[in-house]
Structures are given as structure tokens and as C-alpha cells.
Amino acid sequence: AAIGVVVIAAALLGWGHFEAMRLPRTREVEVRMPRLGRGLDGLRIAMITDTHYGPIDRARWSQKVVDRINELDTDIVCHVGDIADGTVEMRREQAAPLAAITAATRAYVTGNHEYFSEAQEWLDHLDSIGWNSLHNRHVTVERGGDRLIVAGIDDATAAGSGVSGHGQDLAAALAGADAGAPILLLAHQPKQIRHAVAAGVDLQISGHTHGGQIWPFNFLVRLEQPVVQGLSSHGERTQLYTSRGTGYWGPPFRIFAPSEITLLTLSTA
């Protein structure tokens, strides 16, 4: 029995490490959005989150992720926070491939880990390599005469971080937006959904949970967050997609919670 336990534990550790370090699988999800204009029917969004560039150099892994995203040929690419553990200077090389994303619209918001070191510097850095850093603001995507509002808010921890001028503010993010256009909201934590529901957001995309990363931590995550992973409905209009994350945090293991690059396809009802 003891030998069996050791063998099973070793197999799980080996498999879990492989799952953490591999190129994430592409997870395809269709999202029906009733307010979406026909000109935007079929709009494709690639979503990554929780890359957590850190002490283990994953510059080559990062390049493979970017290559895969570019192969998907999407209209929008979103990074929904926790880009790195460390400063821009420390993780610049690992983040560098993000500059090669070819999608016309690239959007980024902060996660909670940015508020451990240089949140504003990461926002500025992503702007400098051609991304739209959505620090409580929005951009408008137009196709076929129809519009989609792509808005982003700071992480839920931003206000208490001590970083001046930071804190989730959805009203500011939507200020001046076309009131009749559907809204895609980038918000790092699923629990920020209550603000999205109150504002009539059509789709919020989030990360943060890692899908639990290592079973059975998914049950603990559920105590803090309304959703651990996948597509869910909230209120009369709002949907939430929660990614299991693209990288990992802490020990390089993923057990029963595989990483993902998410391909969201929006469709009219």
C-alpha cells in the first residue's frame, strides 16, 4: 500500500508539472449576446490571464503562447491580469513576446499581483508595446457598422493597495460609451461581477481562480469567488466567463485544472 501511494503521488507530481509547463490547450467557447449587432456576429476574442511571469524563465513558453494566439487570427486579444510576479525590469524578457500579438485590438487590465509590485509601471509598459491598458476606461471596436464597448477596471484589491489613483471604477470605465452598444468587461476577479450586473454589462471575462490549480483547492476558491471556471449567467443580462488561467502561481503544478488559452466567439441570439 505504501509503495502504491508513493507511485501514485510521483505520477501526479510528474503529470502536474507537465501540465503547468506545457503550451496551454485552446478552449473554444461560443457566447450568445442578444444585444450584439449583426456586423459583429462571429467576432473572435482570444483571452489569456494569470501568466505570472516569475523566477522560472518562461520566455520561450511566452513566445509559444503568442504564436498560438496569432494562429487563431482573432479580432481582439485580452490579458485579464496577473501578468507577472515582479517588476517590469525583472520580467521584461518574459513579457516581451506580447509585443508581437497581431490582433487589431489588444486590451489589458491589472490583477491583484500587479499591486504587489509596480501596477502603474505594468500598465505603462503594456501601452508602450502596443496594448490598450484599460485602467478604468474603455475602447470601442467597430465592425460592419456595429459597435462593441471593450471596458476594463482595476482589480478589486487596487483601492486598498496604496497605489495612488487606483481602484475599480466601472462608472469611469464606461463614461462616454455608446449607451446602446453591448459591453465586454475585463475584470480580473469573478467576484467583480456584481458591479457588472448593476451596470448592465453583457459579458465579463475574468481569471484569478486558476480553476483551483491543484485539486482540491477548487473547493476553497469557491468560498471566495462566485465561479471557479467556465461560462455562467448573472442577473437578467450579464454573463461571466472565468478562465482557469494560462500560467500558474507558486509551485509549477496543475492537477485536474488544466491551463487554457480561451477562444471566445460572440454570436447574436
Side-chain angles (χ1 to χ4, degrees):
I3 292 172
V5 169
V6 170
V7 169
I8 292 171
L12 283 173
L13 287 173
W15 174 57
H17 181 69
F18 170 77
E19 283 291 330
M21 303 302 289
R22 62 166 291 163
L23 175 67
R25 298 170 179 84
T26 301
R27 189 178 189 183
E28 299 188 22
V29 180
E30 181 178 348
V31 181
R32 297 185 183 277
M33 192 178 290
R35 296 204 306 149
L36 192 74
R38 293 199 174 276
L40 293 166
D41 188 39
L43 189 83
R44 290 156 57 87
I45 303 166
M47 173 190 176
I48 58 174
T49 182
D50 301 281
T51 46
H52 286 285
Y53 300 128
I56 297 176
D57 186 359
R58 287 182 293 145
R60 292 177 64 184
W61 174 87
S62 182
Q63 184 61 61
K64 290 179 181 178
V65 168
V66 167
D67 290 344
R68 177 58 181 144
I69 290 171
N70 285 339
E71 288 172 2
L72 294 175
D73 191 26
T74 58
D75 305 282
I76 303 172
V77 174
C78 301
H79 192 306
V80 196
D82 279 6
I83 188 171
D85 293 299
T87 66
V88 172
E89 190 59 36
M90 293 168 64
R91 311 301 180 213
R92 185 184 302 274
E93 183 178 351
Q94 294 181 64
L98 295 175
I101 293 286
T102 56
T105 301
R106 290 152 284 179
Y108 160 72
V109 293
T110 54
N112 57 306
H113 279 246
E114 279 87 334
Y115 290 97
F116 299 151
S117 57
E118 295 195 344
Q120 186 59 54
E121 286 78 1
W122 277 110
L123 287 164
D124 293 342
H125 180 66
L126 268 291
D127 273 333
S128 75
I129 61 172
W131 287 63
N132 294 288
S133 290
L134 300 182
H135 171 38
N136 295 323
R137 69 182 189 92
H138 72 271
V139 294
T140 302
V141 172
E142 297 189 37
R143 195 178 78 174
D146 290 305
R147 294 181 176 183
L148 174 70
I149 305 303
V150 181
I153 54 175
D154 296 344
D155 181 65
T157 64
S161 68
V163 180
S164 179
H166 284 244
Q168 59 180 342
D169 189 340
L170 186 50
L174 296 177
D178 182 346
I183 302 167
L184 168 67
L185 175 66
L186 282 62
H188 180 65
Q189 298 197 42
K191 67 182 180 182
Q192 294 175 277
I193 189 66
R194 64 186 183 90
H195 303 286
V197 170
V201 166
D202 297 87
L203 173 64
Q204 174 179 313
I205 57 175
S206 300
H208 186 67
T209 69
H210 296 215
Q213 187 166 315
I214 300 173
W215 183 90
F217 287 113
N218 53 302
F219 297 110
L220 296 178
V221 171
R222 186 63 181 82
L223 297 176
E224 185 197 15
Q225 300 291 338
V227 179
V228 177
Q229 61 90 26
L231 187 65
S232 55
S233 297
H234 303 262
E236 294 183 1
R237 174 190 295 177
T238 308
Q239 297 181 78
L240 166 66
Y241 183 79
T242 305
S243 168
R244 293 183 301 241
T246 310
Y248 63 87
W249 178 74
F253 296 102
R254 275 185 169 271
I255 297 176
F256 303 129
S259 58
E260 65 180 82
I261 297 167
T262 317
L263 175 60
L264 299 164
T265 302
L266 306 186
S267 65
T268 57

